[in-house]
Amino acid sequence: MGASKLDIYSEDINLMATIAKVFAHPARVAILQYISKQESCICNDIVDEIGLSQPTISQHLQVINKAGLLKGNYKGKSICYCLNIDKFREFQEKFNQFFNTTTSNCC
C-alpha cells in the first residue's frame, strides 16, 4: 500500500489543500457567505437560502466542517452553525506565508 497525501506532504500543505477544496465549490462559498452574515443558523436556514436539497447542503457542510471552518452547537436536534474565525485567520496566515516565500521565475 502506498503512502497517503497526509504522509507525503507537510501539515501546512495539507491544510491549504483542505481549505482550497472548500473554496473550490461555489455552493460552499455561498454557504460560507450566508453563515458569515448570520449570528448563527441551522441547516434548514441554509437550505432555504441557497436552494439546494438538505442532503446536498449537509454534504457541503461536512466538507467545510472537516476543514475546521465551522463551529456548531446543538439546539434540540439541530446543529446551529457559525464561522470559526480563528481557523480563517490561521489559514490566512498560512496562505500569506506561502505566497510571501514563493518567488516567481516566470517572465
Side-chain angles (χ1 to χ4, degrees):
M1 180 199 277
S4 76
K5 66 181 179 185
L6 298 176
D7 298 328
I8 296 172
Y9 302 108
S10 71
E11 186 178 326
D12 286 349
I13 289 174
N14 284 315
L15 172 65
M16 290 198 54
T18 300
I19 303 237
K21 181 177 179 177
V22 171
F23 287 99
H25 198 291
R28 293 185 200 124
V29 174
I31 290 167
L32 285 171
Q33 185 178 40
Y34 176 72
I35 293 173
S36 73
K37 294 177 181 177
Q38 311 303 313
E39 198 168 301
S40 61
C41 61
I42 59 172
C43 186
N44 288 338
D45 296 338
I46 300 167
V47 169
D48 292 343
E49 178 67 23
I50 304 297
L52 298 172
S53 70
Q54 187 275 326
T56 300
I57 293 291
S58 289
Q59 288 175 339
H60 286 304
L61 287 169
Q62 278 184 322
V63 172
I64 298 167
N65 195 41
K66 183 177 179 183
L69 298 177
L70 296 176
K71 292 182 182 179
N73 297 320
Y74 283 97
K75 277 191 175 179
K77 293 182 180 181
S78 300
I79 298 178
C80 189
Y81 294 101
C82 62
L83 297 182
N84 184 347
I85 299 302
D86 292 336
K87 196 63 157 182
F88 273 97
R89 287 187 180 129
E90 177 187 343
F91 172 65
Q92 185 177 21
E93 286 176 27
K94 299 285 185 198
F95 193 77
N96 288 340
Q97 286 173 358
F98 177 82
F99 284 105
N100 286 335
T101 60
T102 303
T103 58
S104 176
N105 293 326
C106 189
C107 323

